């Protein structure tokens, strides 16, 4: 009878013989593993979304800073470019008119 009690104690103790004759700690419940994996995946998704939001906000701030920095420079530069284009257009128009007159034999 003592051997039956020892056998039942050995079977009820964790880390003892498991089915199939393997020794070692008992495996955790599969449902808890699935729940843990689901929570880890959700946490990862929340972190990814949060980092994305932070990245967009940072880009918006940088855009505002850049606009503020170049705002005084742009109108003056655009006016310089407009004058240069107008001057080039006038010179080009004069050359074309001269060449057309030469081609028609009017000069």
């Amino acid at each position: 009878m003592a051997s039956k009690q020892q056998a039942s104690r050995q079977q009820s103790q964790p880390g003892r013989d498991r089915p199939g004759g393997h020794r070692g700690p008992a495996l955790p419940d599969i449902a808890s593993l699935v729940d843990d994996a689901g929570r880890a995946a959700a946490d990862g998704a929340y972190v990814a979304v949060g980092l994305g939001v932070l990245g967009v906000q940072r880009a918006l701030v940088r855009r505002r800073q850049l606009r503020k920095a170049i705002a005084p420079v742009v109108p003056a530069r655009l006016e310089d470019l407009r004058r240069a284009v107008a001057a080039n257009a006038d010179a080009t128009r004069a050359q074309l008119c001269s060449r057309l007159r030469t081609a028609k034999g009017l000069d």
Side-chain angles (χ1 to χ4, degrees):
M1 184 132 160
S3 64
K4 284 186 180 182
Q5 286 177 348
Q6 287 176 346
S8 67
R9 258 190 259 147
Q10 285 180 350
Q11 287 178 356
S12 65
Q13 292 178 355
R16 294 290 182 177
D17 288 338
R18 294 182 302 176
H22 299 289
R23 291 178 85 49
L27 293 176
D29 182 28
I30 193 78
S32 68
L33 289 176
V34 171
D35 288 342
D36 290 346
R39 279 190 221 107
D43 289 346
Y46 288 132
V47 167
V49 168
L51 290 174
V53 168
L54 289 174
V56 168
Q57 287 176 341
R58 187 174 183 184
L60 290 173
V61 167
R62 301 263 309 170
R63 185 186 76 174
R64 284 189 212 117
Q65 290 172 341
L66 182 60
R67 280 184 137 181
K68 191 175 182 178
I70 66 171
V73 177
V74 171
R77 182 70 178 134
L78 286 176
E79 185 59 29
D80 292 344
L81 290 172
R82 188 195 64 75
R83 285 187 192 127
V85 168
N88 285 335
D90 290 340
T92 303
R93 183 178 32 212
Q95 282 180 349
L96 285 175
C97 288
S98 173
R99 288 183 183 179
L100 283 173
R101 284 189 191 124
T102 304
K104 288 185 178 181
L106 298 175
D107 273 345

